[in-house]
Amino acid sequence: MRVKEQLLSLKPYQPGKPMEEVKKEYNLTKVVKLASNENPYGCSPKAKQAIVDELSQLAIYPDGYSAELRTKLAAHVGVQEQELIFGNGSDEVVQIICRALLSPDSNTVMATPTFPQYKHNAVIEGSEIREVPLVDGNHDLENMLLQIDENTTVVWVCTPNNPTGTYVTKDSLVNFLNKVPKHVLVVVDEAYYEYVLAEDYPETVEFINEYPNLMILRTFSKAYGLASLRIGYGIANAELIRKIEPAREPFNTSRVAQVAAIAALDDAQFVEECRGENKEGLQQFYSFCEELKLPYYPSEGNFILIDFNRDSDEVFNALLKKGYIVRSGNALGFPTHLRITVGDRQQNEEIIEALREFVQ
């Protein structure tokens, strides 16, 4: 059977080892997963109750338009209902954008390393990929601009960037948007938006009307703690949403995900508490890195990228044997680094102690 030639160069997404498998392989009773930037505090109790209340409706298809969630989220974010598109995680919105705008006749511009699904989906669509290396972990927006031409259809800006945790300031983003040609869609991926504390981080929703070639991506997977339910969204002007909407699969977000997201939006205190705990958790890692003189990137996400000055798989495997699953930098374009999700205070203390023993 013949498949698209470009698929032959791709590998399916490789998640970290399941916790039960690690327990069995290393004869462990306890395993802590700090690899996928999940919320260590789970989700809001209101979301949990909404999920329970919805279980009697599992035989019924979801509302494909997500009308109730759409109304709730539009008010929460401060946009019109027609300026939203929903996906099975923001990953699917990335796929929808690529499906709608990329082709073998186009090119797309992105940083490297960054969230890999931009490139993955662009390869599937046969589009030319133009990657611009990060500078000190940050997007090199000026050189990204130089890569844009008349065949460019999408530019990706991940902020905070995964895997570095760095961000694009308001002034830098506005300057960039002012220079990008109007025929090019700028996708600003803000999956970690709720964790950001930087004062010069832009409130990009305010730019939607001024820049009709801007789309913002956000998700309920991170700070809201609904990763397993897979629900995210895009924000853009209504005309753009209307044009790409046909590339979205029908019933792509579940009933359970929709009601959980609605309930999660009603619990601002939960998100605020998670943001505060994350700030303290990052400080635990910063102190550790400074104590042992390990280079790291200050992060606006719920993860940290640390340079251990050796093959990252060596550190990864040492932690795995102790029951800690993290993300090896070899899979992220940082072969001497680890990306570690910020856990709760005890989890952070424990993995930092394991790392200290290894390094010393």
PDB file of all heavy atoms in Angstrom, residues 325-342:
ATOM      1  N   ILE A 325      10.406  10.112  36.257  1.00  0.00           N
ATOM      2  CA  ILE A 325      10.318  10.187  34.801  1.00  0.00           C
ATOM      3  C   ILE A 325      10.354  11.655  34.401  1.00  0.00           C
ATOM      4  O   ILE A 325       9.479  12.442  34.780  1.00  0.00           O
ATOM      5  CB  ILE A 325       9.023   9.549  34.279  1.00  0.00           C
ATOM      6  CG1 ILE A 325       8.859   8.113  34.809  1.00  0.00           C
ATOM      7  CG2 ILE A 325       9.007   9.544  32.759  1.00  0.00           C
ATOM      8  CD1 ILE A 325       7.511   7.486  34.469  1.00  0.00           C
ATOM      9  N   VAL A 326      11.390  12.044  33.648  1.00  0.00           N
ATOM     10  CA  VAL A 326      11.502  13.406  33.139  1.00  0.00           C
ATOM     11  C   VAL A 326      11.643  13.332  31.618  1.00  0.00           C
ATOM     12  O   VAL A 326      11.428  12.283  31.020  1.00  0.00           O
ATOM     13  CB  VAL A 326      12.687  14.146  33.793  1.00  0.00           C
ATOM     14  CG1 VAL A 326      12.459  14.303  35.295  1.00  0.00           C
ATOM     15  CG2 VAL A 326      14.000  13.430  33.520  1.00  0.00           C
ATOM     16  N   ARG A 327      12.004  14.412  30.990  1.00  0.00           N
ATOM     17  CA  ARG A 327      12.143  14.439  29.526  1.00  0.00           C
ATOM     18  C   ARG A 327      13.602  14.669  29.170  1.00  0.00           C
ATOM     19  O   ARG A 327      14.185  15.687  29.548  1.00  0.00           O
ATOM     20  CB  ARG A 327      11.278  15.557  28.951  1.00  0.00           C
ATOM     21  CG  ARG A 327      11.082  15.477  27.435  1.00  0.00           C
ATOM     22  CD  ARG A 327      10.110  14.392  27.075  1.00  0.00           C
ATOM     23  NE  ARG A 327       9.622  14.559  25.700  1.00  0.00           N
ATOM     24  CZ  ARG A 327       9.427  13.570  24.859  1.00  0.00           C
ATOM     25  NH1 ARG A 327       9.670  12.322  25.230  1.00  0.00           N
ATOM     26  NH2 ARG A 327       8.978  13.790  23.648  1.00  0.00           N
ATOM     27  N   SER A 328      14.175  13.714  28.465  1.00  0.00           N
ATOM     28  CA  SER A 328      15.567  13.840  28.035  1.00  0.00           C
ATOM     29  C   SER A 328      15.683  14.900  26.952  1.00  0.00           C
ATOM     30  O   SER A 328      14.879  14.942  26.012  1.00  0.00           O
ATOM     31  CB  SER A 328      16.075  12.505  27.498  1.00  0.00           C
ATOM     32  OG  SER A 328      17.335  12.664  26.871  1.00  0.00           O
ATOM     33  N   GLY A 329      16.702  15.737  27.062  1.00  0.00           N
ATOM     34  CA  GLY A 329      16.918  16.784  26.073  1.00  0.00           C
ATOM     35  C   GLY A 329      17.288  16.261  24.705  1.00  0.00           C
ATOM     36  O   GLY A 329      17.194  16.992  23.708  1.00  0.00           O
ATOM     37  N   ASN A 330      17.701  14.986  24.611  1.00  0.00           N
ATOM     38  CA  ASN A 330      18.030  14.413  23.310  1.00  0.00           C
ATOM     39  C   ASN A 330      16.821  14.403  22.381  1.00  0.00           C
ATOM     40  O   ASN A 330      16.976  14.431  21.160  1.00  0.00           O
ATOM     41  CB  ASN A 330      18.583  12.990  23.477  1.00  0.00           C
ATOM     42  CG  ASN A 330      20.072  12.987  23.750  1.00  0.00           C
ATOM     43  OD1 ASN A 330      20.825  13.722  23.124  1.00  0.00           O
ATOM     44  ND2 ASN A 330      20.507  12.173  24.691  1.00  0.00           N
ATOM     45  N   ALA A 331      15.645  14.343  22.959  1.00  0.00           N
ATOM     46  CA  ALA A 331      14.427  14.345  22.145  1.00  0.00           C
ATOM     47  C   ALA A 331      13.924  15.759  21.869  1.00  0.00           C
ATOM     48  O   ALA A 331      12.956  15.935  21.129  1.00  0.00           O
ATOM     49  CB  ALA A 331      13.333  13.553  22.859  1.00  0.00           C
ATOM     50  N   LEU A 332      14.599  16.762  22.459  1.00  0.00           N
ATOM     51  CA  LEU A 332      14.105  18.132  22.388  1.00  0.00           C
ATOM     52  C   LEU A 332      15.044  19.094  21.672  1.00  0.00           C
ATOM     53  O   LEU A 332      14.736  20.286  21.548  1.00  0.00           O
ATOM     54  CB  LEU A 332      13.860  18.660  23.811  1.00  0.00           C
ATOM     55  CG  LEU A 332      12.916  17.854  24.699  1.00  0.00           C
ATOM     56  CD1 LEU A 332      12.942  18.380  26.124  1.00  0.00           C
ATOM     57  CD2 LEU A 332      11.492  17.898  24.147  1.00  0.00           C
ATOM     58  N   GLY A 333      16.191  18.591  21.224  1.00  0.00           N
ATOM     59  CA  GLY A 333      17.163  19.471  20.597  1.00  0.00           C
ATOM     60  C   GLY A 333      18.153  20.076  21.566  1.00  0.00           C
ATOM     61  O   GLY A 333      18.909  20.978  21.207  1.00  0.00           O
ATOM     62  N   PHE A 334      18.178  19.580  22.801  1.00  0.00           N
ATOM     63  CA  PHE A 334      19.118  20.040  23.830  1.00  0.00           C
ATOM     64  C   PHE A 334      19.783  18.810  24.446  1.00  0.00           C
ATOM     65  O   PHE A 334      19.385  18.337  25.519  1.00  0.00           O
ATOM     66  CB  PHE A 334      18.392  20.850  24.907  1.00  0.00           C
ATOM     67  CG  PHE A 334      17.971  22.222  24.465  1.00  0.00           C
ATOM     68  CD1 PHE A 334      16.728  22.424  23.872  1.00  0.00           C
ATOM     69  CD2 PHE A 334      18.818  23.310  24.627  1.00  0.00           C
ATOM     70  CE1 PHE A 334      16.335  23.681  23.465  1.00  0.00           C
ATOM     71  CE2 PHE A 334      18.435  24.580  24.227  1.00  0.00           C
ATOM     72  CZ  PHE A 334      17.189  24.770  23.644  1.00  0.00           C
ATOM     73  N   PRO A 335      20.803  18.258  23.792  1.00  0.00           N
ATOM     74  CA  PRO A 335      21.326  16.939  24.158  1.00  0.00           C
ATOM     75  C   PRO A 335      22.039  16.838  25.507  1.00  0.00           C
ATOM     76  O   PRO A 335      22.331  15.737  25.942  1.00  0.00           O
ATOM     77  CB  PRO A 335      22.298  16.618  23.015  1.00  0.00           C
ATOM     78  CG  PRO A 335      22.648  17.936  22.423  1.00  0.00           C
ATOM     79  CD  PRO A 335      21.434  18.793  22.565  1.00  0.00           C
ATOM     80  N   THR A 336      22.275  17.966  26.180  1.00  0.00           N
ATOM     81  CA  THR A 336      22.889  17.892  27.514  1.00  0.00           C
ATOM     82  C   THR A 336      21.932  18.369  28.606  1.00  0.00           C
ATOM     83  O   THR A 336      22.323  18.524  29.754  1.00  0.00           O
ATOM     84  CB  THR A 336      24.188  18.730  27.576  1.00  0.00           C
ATOM     85  OG1 THR A 336      23.870  20.111  27.360  1.00  0.00           O
ATOM     86  CG2 THR A 336      25.192  18.258  26.560  1.00  0.00           C
ATOM     87  N   HIS A 337      20.681  18.599  28.225  1.00  0.00           N
ATOM     88  CA  HIS A 337      19.696  19.150  29.159  1.00  0.00           C
ATOM     89  C   HIS A 337      18.632  18.125  29.544  1.00  0.00           C
ATOM     90  O   HIS A 337      18.414  17.141  28.843  1.00  0.00           O
ATOM     91  CB  HIS A 337      18.971  20.345  28.537  1.00  0.00           C
ATOM     92  CG  HIS A 337      19.831  21.532  28.254  1.00  0.00           C
ATOM     93  ND1 HIS A 337      20.895  21.509  27.386  1.00  0.00           N
ATOM     94  CD2 HIS A 337      19.750  22.808  28.726  1.00  0.00           C
ATOM     95  CE1 HIS A 337      21.453  22.722  27.327  1.00  0.00           C
ATOM     96  NE2 HIS A 337      20.775  23.515  28.122  1.00  0.00           N
ATOM     97  N   LEU A 338      17.939  18.404  30.636  1.00  0.00           N
ATOM     98  CA  LEU A 338      16.694  17.735  30.988  1.00  0.00           C
ATOM     99  C   LEU A 338      15.602  18.784  31.095  1.00  0.00           C
ATOM    100  O   LEU A 338      15.833  19.880  31.617  1.00  0.00           O
ATOM    101  CB  LEU A 338      16.788  17.018  32.344  1.00  0.00           C
ATOM    102  CG  LEU A 338      17.654  15.778  32.491  1.00  0.00           C
ATOM    103  CD1 LEU A 338      17.489  15.222  33.903  1.00  0.00           C
ATOM    104  CD2 LEU A 338      17.312  14.714  31.455  1.00  0.00           C
ATOM    105  N   ARG A 339      14.414  18.440  30.610  1.00  0.00           N
ATOM    106  CA  ARG A 339      13.240  19.267  30.890  1.00  0.00           C
ATOM    107  C   ARG A 339      12.458  18.581  31.995  1.00  0.00           C
ATOM    108  O   ARG A 339      12.055  17.421  31.858  1.00  0.00           O
ATOM    109  CB  ARG A 339      12.354  19.411  29.650  1.00  0.00           C
ATOM    110  CG  ARG A 339      11.268  20.491  29.823  1.00  0.00           C
ATOM    111  CD  ARG A 339      10.230  20.418  28.720  1.00  0.00           C
ATOM    112  NE  ARG A 339       9.421  19.205  28.856  1.00  0.00           N
ATOM    113  CZ  ARG A 339       8.589  18.752  27.914  1.00  0.00           C
ATOM    114  NH1 ARG A 339       8.470  19.383  26.770  1.00  0.00           N
ATOM    115  NH2 ARG A 339       7.895  17.646  28.117  1.00  0.00           N
ATOM    116  N   ILE A 340      12.272  19.294  33.088  1.00  0.00           N
ATOM    117  CA  ILE A 340      11.615  18.731  34.266  1.00  0.00           C
ATOM    118  C   ILE A 340      10.347  19.525  34.566  1.00  0.00           C
ATOM    119  O   ILE A 340      10.380  20.751  34.702  1.00  0.00           O
ATOM    120  CB  ILE A 340      12.549  18.772  35.494  1.00  0.00           C
ATOM    121  CG1 ILE A 340      13.861  18.051  35.182  1.00  0.00           C
ATOM    122  CG2 ILE A 340      11.861  18.161  36.715  1.00  0.00           C
ATOM    123  CD1 ILE A 340      14.918  18.211  36.272  1.00  0.00           C
ATOM    124  N   THR A 341       9.230  18.838  34.642  1.00  0.00           N
ATOM    125  CA  THR A 341       7.988  19.484  35.042  1.00  0.00           C
ATOM    126  C   THR A 341       8.071  19.864  36.512  1.00  0.00           C
ATOM    127  O   THR A 341       8.565  19.103  37.342  1.00  0.00           O
ATOM    128  CB  THR A 341       6.792  18.531  34.840  1.00  0.00           C
ATOM    129  OG1 THR A 341       6.750  18.129  33.465  1.00  0.00           O
ATOM    130  CG2 THR A 341       5.483  19.203  35.209  1.00  0.00           C
ATOM    131  N   VAL A 342       7.579  21.052  36.839  1.00  0.00           N
ATOM    132  CA  VAL A 342       7.530  21.475  38.240  1.00  0.00           C
ATOM    133  C   VAL A 342       6.418  20.690  38.934  1.00  0.00           C
ATOM    134  O   VAL A 342       5.254  20.763  38.537  1.00  0.00           O
ATOM    135  CB  VAL A 342       7.271  22.985  38.350  1.00  0.00           C
ATOM    136  CG1 VAL A 342       7.138  23.405  39.813  1.00  0.00           C
ATOM    137  CG2 VAL A 342       8.397  23.765  37.668  1.00  0.00           C
TER     138      VAL A 342
END
